[in-house]
Amino acid sequence: MRISPKTKAILILIVIIAVWVGGGIFIYYQINPPAQTTTTTPSQTTTTTPSQATTTTTTTTPTPTSNLSPEEQDYITIITDHSSRLTTAVASLSELLTDPQIDNTTWVSQATAQTETLQSLYDKMVQVATPFSMFEIHYNYTHALSVYKSAAQSIDQAIASQNVGSIQQAVSLMNSGTNLFNNSIAMLNEFIAENA
């Protein structure tokens, strides 16, 4: 079964956007880490011996400070890693959907691996503890994941029933998921910028 040129163009656009946005959060966070200032506190230790008095000045280990709480920093680390894995799965699945071959065992195996990954990524992210300040980001991100999960289920259904019509539904869901994903990543980047 061949997919229409319009659908191929849409899938290619999904891959480009997903890779661009997914890489964007990682690059943004690496280039613009939360603002950190270093405080060094000198301390003095005095040791007295019978023959002389010695004063030694030492410095403590620098202590980073940031406007982001430890919970927010942890959540950003989790979502950065998660979105990288999500982007890889979406890009791989989108590439497979440009030429769906639901009767080809190799294609089915590859597609099923990616649909399982999408469903697993959803299941893991909904269990992540979220700081209250980032709840809206988390809500939007997990909503995008739920749409990707629905797309994965449509693909699994198409494979099981050998019905290519479900593939078209999956493509539509992938497009919706990508829009929601982009929105949640934009919200995250804005949050980081405001609190850096």
Side-chain angles (χ1 to χ4, degrees):
M1 185 234 154
R2 294 275 178 207
I3 245 179
S4 71
K6 180 180 178 184
T7 304
K8 278 186 182 182
I10 291 170
L11 287 171
I12 291 169
L13 182 61
I14 289 172
V15 172
I16 292 168
I17 290 172
V19 170
W20 178 75
V21 171
I25 182 177
F26 179 75
I27 292 168
Y28 180 87
Y29 191 60
Q30 296 302 317
I31 292 173
N32 301 307
Q36 295 186 350
T37 57
T38 305
T39 13
T40 305
T41 310
S43 61
Q44 291 191 345
T45 308
T46 305
T47 308
T48 307
T49 61
S51 62
Q52 64 182 21
T54 307
T55 301
T56 308
T57 302
T58 58
T59 55
T60 60
T61 307
T63 308
T65 58
S66 169
N67 292 331
L68 294 169
S69 71
E71 293 80 14
E72 291 168 340
Q73 291 175 2
D74 289 346
Y75 183 81
I76 290 168
T77 300
I78 290 167
I79 201 170
T80 300
D81 174 64
H82 191 277
S83 66
S84 175
R85 291 185 288 138
L86 176 66
T87 300
T88 300
V90 168
S92 298
L93 191 54
S94 294
E95 186 177 326
L96 289 167
L97 290 176
T98 60
D99 185 20
Q101 301 170 25
I102 59 176
D103 54 351
N104 178 312
T105 55
T106 302
W107 186 93
V108 167
S109 174
Q110 292 172 345
T112 302
Q114 297 311 319
T115 60
E116 287 173 359
T117 298
L118 288 177
Q119 293 179 66
S120 172
L121 287 169
Y122 170 81
D123 293 340
K124 288 177 184 172
M125 198 63 187
V126 296
Q127 296 176 14
V128 170
T130 309
F132 181 75
S133 59
M134 302 180 86
F135 181 77
E136 189 176 358
I137 295 166
H138 184 75
Y139 174 81
N140 283 283
Y141 188 77
T142 54
H143 183 60
L145 291 173
S146 72
V147 174
Y148 281 136
K149 181 179 178 180
S150 294
Q153 291 168 338
S154 291
I155 293 165
D156 290 342
Q157 181 182 10
I159 292 168
S161 65
Q162 293 291 295
N163 177 2
V164 293
S166 295
I167 296 289
Q168 296 296 335
Q169 179 184 0
V171 169
S172 176
L173 288 167
M174 295 279 283
N175 286 332
S176 297
T178 299
N179 289 333
L180 293 166
F181 173 75
N182 291 344
N183 184 45
S184 64
I185 297 304
M187 290 171 67
L188 177 62
N189 285 335
E190 184 179 326
F191 180 85
I192 294 169
E194 288 174 354
N195 294 286

